[in-house]
């Protein structure tokens, strides 16, 4: 089903001239006086009850994890630079419910939340290739956080997206990314990036924390911040007829998932291996049509994606 996004076309025209695929304040070094990261935040409406007899208003009691009354704020626990962005959940004591934190990118730096205008414009000639970032995840329960990017054209039609699950406890910064699959001739006009402390269907825990730094959408910006790792998945050949070979690092263990996506972002093939013994796997692709594909490998080490061309 095609998704349609609506946004202010005048605002798009004004800002597209100088916009790039660089994420606005993606390194979170711009921090506002109230210690909120510029251009990132969430809409949070607190219900208020009016008593017509007394003329008084009453609101639910909300408890925040941080001393800052917000679920999105700056932190000095950064991967690079001075600041990163931290998300946490809040607790509604009145209703005994946890409110999951969410950080959404928006264009108006004068505001503390996206309001009715989430997302940022991008130039039509820009290729948004991936969503990548460094993170620490400190859940107090079995929380599953989620990162998401959606890319739309000038008509508001979604032309690409990707989602990344964030699970497990990571006390040290980890790098993760996923490719954005778009049609070959699609022209991006606007992108929406969000980080949510509770993926749909998961249960948030009060006290869980997520730290994000260095959000990127292309390889050029990644080269400025990415540290080379000695953990490497080697995939060859890149121009393939029958089989592709994946050489695994010796540290790989447990379940390893292989998924192949076409250029439209549809998964066309998948396979799961348990406890590899020889650290090499050959995947048959002779049944695929000619064209460009993306191979996503998910292991205990990291999630990585590479592309190949089927003859």
């Amino acid at each position: 089903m095609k998704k349609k996004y609506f946004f202010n076309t005048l605002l798009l025209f004004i800002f597209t001239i100088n916009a790039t695929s660089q994420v606005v304040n993606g390194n979170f070094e711009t921090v506002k006086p109230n210690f909120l990261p510029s251009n990132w935040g969430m809409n949070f409406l607190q219900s208020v009850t009016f008593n017509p007899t007394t003329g008084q208003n009453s609101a639910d009691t909300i408890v925040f994890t941080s001393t800052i009354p917000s679920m999105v704020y700056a932190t000095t626990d950064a991967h690079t630079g001075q600041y990163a962005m931290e998300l946490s959940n809040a607790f509604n004591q009145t209703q005994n419910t946890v409110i999951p934190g969410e950080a959404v990118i928006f264009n108006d730096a004068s505001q503390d939340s996206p309001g009715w205008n989430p997302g940022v414009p991008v130039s039509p000639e820009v290729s948004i290739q991936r969503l990548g970032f460094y993170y620490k995840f400190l859940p107090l329960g079995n929380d599953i956080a989620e990162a998401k990017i959606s890319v739309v054209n000038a008509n508001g039609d979604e032309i690409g997206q990707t989602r990344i699950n964030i699970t497990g406890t990571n006390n040290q910064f980890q790098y993760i990314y996923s490719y954005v699959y778009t049609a070959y001739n699609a022209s991006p006009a606007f992108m929406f990036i969000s980080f949510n402390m509770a993926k749909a269907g998961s249960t948030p825990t009060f006290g869980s924390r997520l730290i994000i730094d260095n959000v990127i959408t292309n390889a050029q910006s990644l080269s400025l911040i990415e540290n080379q790792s000695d953990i490497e998945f080697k995939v060859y050949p890149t121009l393939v007829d029958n089989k592709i070979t994946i050489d695994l690092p010796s540290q790989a263990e447990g379940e390893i998932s292989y998924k192949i996506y076409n250029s439209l972002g549809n998964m066309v093939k998948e396979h799961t291996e348990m406890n590899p013994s020889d650290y090499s796997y050959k995947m048959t692709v002779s049944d695929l049509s000619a064209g460009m594909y993306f191979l996503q490998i998910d292991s205990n080490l990291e999630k990585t994606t590479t592309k190949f061309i089927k003859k």
Side-chain angles (χ1 to χ4, degrees):
M1 179 181 295
K2 181 183 291 185
K3 294 183 180 179
K4 180 79 74 172
Y5 291 78
F6 298 94
F7 45 84
N8 190 312
T9 55
L10 177 60
L11 180 68
L12 173 65
F13 175 77
I14 292 174
F15 285 100
T16 297
I17 297 174
N18 295 318
T20 70
S21 64
Q22 299 286 345
V23 179
V24 178
N25 198 28
N27 59 7
F28 307 106
E29 291 304 298
T30 304
V31 177
K32 307 179 79 169
N34 55 7
F35 214 63
L36 301 183
S38 179
N39 299 94
W40 292 85
M42 67 179 289
N43 294 327
F44 174 60
L45 299 177
Q46 185 174 357
S47 60
V48 177
T49 303
F50 174 73
N51 189 325
T53 302
T54 62
Q56 294 181 334
N57 297 330
S58 61
D60 292 351
T61 301
I62 308 297
V63 179
F64 297 93
T65 301
S66 170
T67 55
I68 301 171
S70 175
M71 286 172 269
V72 182
Y73 40 89
T75 175
T76 55
D77 185 3
H79 177 261
T80 58
Q82 187 174 358
Y83 295 106
M85 177 176 69
E86 183 166 330
L87 291 78
S88 62
N89 301 321
F91 184 68
N92 186 320
Q93 286 187 330
T94 306
Q95 300 183 24
N96 193 33
T97 57
V98 176
I99 306 169
E102 181 181 30
V104 177
I105 194 170
F106 57 93
N107 204 60
D108 188 352
S110 67
Q111 302 298 314
D112 289 342
S113 63
W116 294 104
N117 296 291
V120 292
V122 295
S123 300
E125 70 275 7
V126 165
S127 174
I128 299 177
Q129 303 167 337
R130 68 177 81 186
L131 174 64
F133 53 91
Y134 284 91
Y135 75 97
K136 287 184 180 181
F137 192 35
L138 306 169
L140 293 184
N142 296 320
D143 301 57
I144 303 176
E146 182 183 62
K148 177 184 176 182
I149 181 172
S150 294
V151 185
V152 303
N153 61 20
N155 295 323
D157 299 319
E158 185 178 76
I159 58 175
Q161 72 151 268
T162 194
R163 298 171 184 263
I164 301 175
N165 290 343
I166 304 172
T167 61
T169 300
N170 289 284
N171 295 299
Q172 303 297 321
F173 275 104
Q174 304 288 327
Y175 179 71
I176 192 170
Y177 73 90
S178 180
Y179 277 95
V180 179
Y181 305 104
T182 59
Y184 176 74
N185 59 348
S187 297
F190 225 74
M191 68 178 177
F192 303 82
I193 303 176
S194 64
F195 295 91
N196 197 306
M197 290 290 288
K199 178 184 177 180
S202 66
T203 303
T205 307
F206 180 61
S208 295
R209 299 164 52 220
L210 173 64
I211 301 173
I212 302 293
D213 203 1
N214 298 321
V215 182
I216 62 94
T217 56
N218 59 26
Q220 288 74 27
S221 52
L222 174 65
S223 64
L224 300 177
I225 59 173
E226 184 179 27
N227 294 324
Q228 295 297 319
S229 173
D230 57 359
I231 299 175
E232 184 179 3
F233 293 81
K234 296 180 180 179
V235 180
Y236 55 91
T238 55
L239 182 61
V240 59
D241 188 11
N242 295 315
K243 293 183 178 182
I244 51 176
T245 300
I246 303 102
D247 289 344
L248 309 175
S250 59
Q251 302 97 321
E253 59 184 20
E255 183 178 283
I256 300 180
S257 171
Y258 305 91
K259 295 179 181 179
I260 295 179
Y261 296 84
N262 62 20
S263 60
L264 297 178
N266 301 317
M267 188 175 68
V268 295
K269 198 178 187 70
E270 67 175 327
H271 179 75
T272 299
E273 283 279 302
M274 289 295 296
N275 298 317
S277 57
D278 57 0
Y279 303 108
S280 184
Y281 173 65
K282 295 183 184 296
M283 194 168 188
T284 301
V285 295
S286 57
D287 55 331
L288 299 180
S289 302
M292 183 174 69
Y293 294 88
F294 297 89
L295 171 64
Q296 180 177 284
I297 307 169
D298 194 358
S299 71
N300 64 304
L301 300 176
E302 61 180 1
K303 179 183 289 187
T304 184
T305 306
T306 186
K307 60 184 177 181
F308 67 90
I309 296 175
K310 170 66 170 61
K311 294 180 182 179

